[in-house]
Amino acid sequence: VPQVPQTLLQFLLVSGRRRSMAFEPETTVGRVKELVWNSWPNDWQDERPPAPSYLRVLYLGKILQDDDTLKQLKLPSYTPPEPATPTVVHLSIRSFVPREGSVKKKRRMSRSGTDVGRGESDESASEHGGACCCVIC
């Protein structure tokens, strides 16, 4: 039986809790969030969000988009039984439900440093909770 390549992710919560899970490289980030939420550990119930849409996955300081596959993001994969080193990603839990259609794709910046193609001012973005940060201790 041929082995299927896998991407091993280690999810790190702000609380310091960690959990590793393996996925096929063609799995989308949105599907990863669903699978993580559906298999939420019993001893983590105090941190479980109401739905997968409350989860954000961050890798190298960037929020991963639901439509991207792990392969498109160039996350390392392995073929069992070879040993695998997990790729650490941060799992952030939103305190509010995201509005439908509020997830913005990556922004393009002009050479002058201004936004291109969004048509939304910084003031408007902050009104809608568009700011986010990742603190690593």
Side-chain angles (χ1 to χ4, degrees):
V1 176
Q3 295 292 331
V4 177
Q6 298 285 301
T7 299
L8 184 62
L9 299 179
Q10 184 173 75
F11 298 96
L12 175 62
L13 272 67
V14 174
S15 65
R17 292 175 169 163
R18 294 175 183 258
R19 177 171 190 212
S20 294
M21 293 177 72
F23 305 94
E24 291 182 10
E26 296 302 324
T27 307
T28 64
V29 172
R31 181 70 180 139
V32 165
K33 289 171 20 177
E34 289 173 5
L35 293 168
V36 167
W37 188 80
N38 287 332
S39 62
W40 200 264
N42 287 331
D43 57 334
W44 291 14
Q45 290 303 315
D46 59 324
E47 293 186 81
R48 187 172 196 239
S53 59
Y54 283 77
L55 296 172
R56 281 189 283 204
V57 181
L58 295 95
Y59 177 63
L60 298 177
K62 296 181 180 165
I63 298 174
L64 304 184
Q65 301 298 316
D66 285 354
D67 295 338
D68 290 338
T69 66
L70 302 177
K71 185 176 184 176
Q72 288 172 324
L73 296 166
K74 296 181 172 62
L75 297 176
S77 61
Y78 72 100
T79 303
E82 76 182 54
T85 301
T87 300
V88 177
V89 295
H90 290 87
L91 192 60
S92 170
I93 302 170
R94 300 174 197 229
S95 58
F96 60 92
V97 65
R99 289 187 314 229
E100 193 63 36
S102 69
V103 177
K104 305 267 189 275
K105 284 290 181 183
K106 298 169 191 149
R107 299 186 314 194
R108 262 189 8 207
M109 299 297 273
S110 72
R111 288 184 183 210
S112 66
T114 58
D115 252 350
V116 175
R118 246 181 75 174
E120 186 176 332
S121 69
D122 289 340
E123 192 175 295
S124 174
S126 64
E127 282 178 24
H128 301 299
C132 132
C133 69
C134 180
V135 177
I136 301 173
C137 301

